[in-house]
Amino acid sequence: MPRDHTFHHTHTRSNGNDHNCHAHGHARHSPAVTPAKSDFYTCPMHPEVVQEGPGNCPKCGMALEPVTIAVQTEENTEFNDMSRRFWISLALTFPIFLLAMGEMIPGQSLSWLLPPQPTRWIQFFLATPVVMWGGWPFFERMWTSFRNRHLNMFTLIGIGTGAAWGFSVAALLVPEMFPAGFRGHNGEVGIYFEAASVIVVLVLLGQVLELKARDRTAGAIRTLMDMAPKVARRVDPDGTETDIPLEQVATNDILRVRPGEKIPVDGIIQSGRSSVDEALLSGESIPVEKGPGDSVTGATLNVNGTFLMQARQVGSATVLARIVQMVGEAQRSRAPLQKLADRVSGIFVPAVIAIAAISFAIWSIWGPQPAYAYALASSVTVLIIACPCALGLATPMSVMVGVGRGATMGVLIRNAEALEAMSKIDTLVVDKTGTLTDGRPKLTSIESLGSWNEEEILRLAAGLELGSEHPLAASILAAAEDRKLSPSLVSGFQSIPGQGIVASLNGEPVVLGNTKLMDAQGIDVNSAGDRANTMRSHGQTVMFLAVANRLQGLIGVADPVRESTPEAIRALREEGVHIIMLTGDSRITAKAVASTLGIDEVYAEVSPAQKHSAIKRLQAEGRKVAMAGDGVNDAPALAQAHVGIAMGNGTDVAMESAGITLLKGDLRGIVKARRLSRATVQNIRQNLFFAFIYNALGVPVAAGALYPAFGIHLNPMFAAAAMSLSSVSVIVNALRLRKTAL
């Protein structure tokens, strides 16, 4: 088959994370806070279709939408065009309907005003612009479906409407060519100008309502994008302050943020204190106190203080821009449930055309007179009522609304697969540090075991931790800074994941880490076992410090449990989720935390590789596992789990490995994500049920299944109304997710 213009520019993405147009070598634009208009368009019903420039989907015929949603709501040209066609077609159809139906209105016959033949010509002149202009987009899409060999809803609409109008034109111009089976009691061949016109008007109405509703599903992204301020106040080195457009802010710029203003970009507070409303991240409007050294996020609200901040992430690197990008990609991804609809749609349209042909044949042979007229009406009705638009919209609409709802609550869902998988989770595996706890541990105790005093132990520990990014390192360095102690100079630094650090001090080996590391280095820690266990029983993580293979001290660090963690654990347990702690910390410390929180199982002193293996073992047992973590060492386990959940205050590696990110790092977000997932999947199933049951009941009725017993023969106009109503009902049902209580 020759490649037409649409297919030349259209390609199918291999997966939801593919950012390149392979046919042209262009990178697809990602939404940023102030993105330029994208050159790439995608189909809401078939998100794997992406093409350069606007057009219609080669699979379903729907108009493609921009991949990038603009900050400012641009004029929807398709909506305006469909609205104009609808209103003009409605105005022309109304008199057609009155003329055609006049004979059916008791006491209101119009035959004394207009003879039958002029009435038929008036209907022709009014119906022709309705069908040929108002319905022209449907005929274009029908023709494209034939060229591309992708039969779709517009194939059925075009065939049905064209058949009704074409038959009526022939009946008007050359009635003598029709046999007796097409003639009524008055000897005339029936016309269906009113049916063709009303079908076009109702389908146009459905398109207008659908376009309006689809535009509302992008509201979550626009709401997020509108949160960003338009300008920032930059403080120059000479102290001059200037208001500049947000896109001109550069990394390391010093910015002043005044009370009531939105923070322009992500950065660090240099001076001043304030309360910041971070509802963007957490969904909670309770302000968070911020001071020098604290990080702030662009688009969050400065409540009551003034401060200077240093810009760290700007443009597309900000948290808000990344949220917008990920939400956009997630809304265009496909849920596994969509495969069912795709399989059905693949055979549905050809089957409907076959049913319409069979219906025509049956009515022609066994139908009442005029048999052929009934046969034509029946086949047109089958074609119109069976349009599978509701089936195609069932899953994408729910996914778009569900993902958008999650984003506004601080729950960032990477794709539809993660959204659906989260509904089936029965086991949650959690890391301890940074997940159950704040991730900001503090040094609580130092015990000398040899000739070194506390200050010497802390100075050496700080020197060893200078090159580490572990949360425990930050607590030691902060304690040394508070005591104004300079870290010791060490060399040969080597970090051993899950165990600790090995280095040299003045040519002598120094080791800081847990029991595993000490055993590996051949250092005996039995003499300090009781003291270490006492510290652990109080929830402290214990590190051993050895110099020249001799134990010199113990360092205890405690990481307080997040205030929201007990509530989240309790809610998950009440919903039947089995909770397992998987941590590299000691068994005593891990059990102390687990006992406080009521966690079911604890696996302690595990390495990153062992975390990954533990997830695989749970999956082999038939469990649906979600893993929540925040560090680089959690990345393999996050990727292995059915759903990886990253804490927003964790590392980029963890977030890239996860299907869901909790922007605030609050475990209550897992409760929200699970409830949202279950509500979305239930909504999808409702939509699919509506679509399937509608076609399962509608097609037989349209074909005449009720006529033998009840004398009911469905008019094509009612079929058009039912078809449009089915699509709108699916969209309205999906929009209910925006109000679902979580």
Side-chain angles (χ1 to χ4, degrees), residues 343-489:
R343 286 196 298 269
V344 172
S345 297
I347 61 174
F348 187 75
V349 175
V352 168
I353 294 175
I355 292 172
I358 294 170
S359 176
F360 184 90
I362 291 175
W363 278 94
S364 299
I365 298 171
W366 291 292
Q369 293 299 321
Y372 289 121
Y374 275 107
L376 177 65
S378 177
S379 59
V380 169
T381 303
V382 169
L383 292 172
I384 297 301
I385 203 170
C387 289
C389 45
L391 191 62
L393 289 169
T395 299
M397 289 296 108
S398 297
V399 169
M400 290 178 72
V401 178
V403 169
R405 175 75 191 282
T408 60
M409 301 178 64
V411 179
L412 194 56
I413 301 167
R414 180 173 292 277
N415 52 45
E417 185 176 1
L419 179 66
E420 183 176 331
M422 190 65 188
S423 68
K424 305 173 184 177
I425 293 302
D426 55 31
T427 301
L428 173 65
V429 177
V430 292
D431 180 38
K432 182 178 75 70
T433 304
T435 303
L436 297 174
T437 63
D438 281 332
R440 293 190 293 269
K442 296 181 179 179
L443 187 144
T444 53
S445 59
I446 300 175
E447 293 201 21
S448 175
L449 301 176
S451 58
W452 289 47
N453 59 36
E454 290 188 10
E455 287 191 357
E456 290 173 325
I457 292 172
L458 182 56
R459 286 185 61 192
L460 179 54
L464 291 168
E465 297 288 14
L466 274 175
S468 174
E469 296 181 355
H470 196 281
L472 298 181
S475 66
I476 292 175
L477 291 171
E481 184 178 352
D482 289 343
R483 301 187 189 187
K484 295 181 171 47
L485 298 176
S486 300
S488 301
L489 297 178

Side-chain angles (χ1 to χ4, degrees), residues 170-183:
L172 179 64
L173 299 179
V174 285
E176 64 276 5
M177 66 176 286
F178 291 91
F182 281 103
R183 301 180 183 276

Side-chain angles (χ1 to χ4, degrees), residues 56 60-63 78 81-83 85-86 89 130-146 152-162 196-208 210-211 384 387 720 723-724:
N56 298 325
C60 66
M62 300 294 292
E78 186 192 9
D81 178 60
M82 288 293 182
S83 297
R85 291 176 190 270
F86 166 71
S89 297
V130 173
V131 174
M132 301 308 295
W133 175 76
W136 186 250
F138 310 144
F139 291 113
E140 283 187 319
R141 296 173 185 180
M142 177 193 70
W143 177 244
T144 300
S145 74
F146 285 132
N152 53 54
M153 59 175 283
F154 295 106
T155 310
L156 303 182
I157 293 172
I159 293 175
T161 307
S197 299
V198 171
I199 288 170
V200 169
V201 168
L202 290 173
V203 175
L204 284 170
L205 175 61
Q207 289 288 291
V208 169
E210 182 182 311
L211 287 167
I384 297 301
C387 289
M723 183 269 292
S724 298

Side-chain angles (χ1 to χ4, degrees), residues 523-556:
I523 300 171
D524 183 16
V525 296
N526 291 329
S527 60
D530 291 341
R531 298 169 71 176
N533 288 338
T534 300
M535 296 166 67
R536 290 168 182 151
S537 65
H538 290 88
Q540 297 182 41
T541 297
V542 177
M543 291 174 280
F544 297 89
L545 177 66
V547 180
N549 296 324
R550 293 185 60 185
L551 204 59
Q552 292 292 344
L554 299 178
I555 298 176

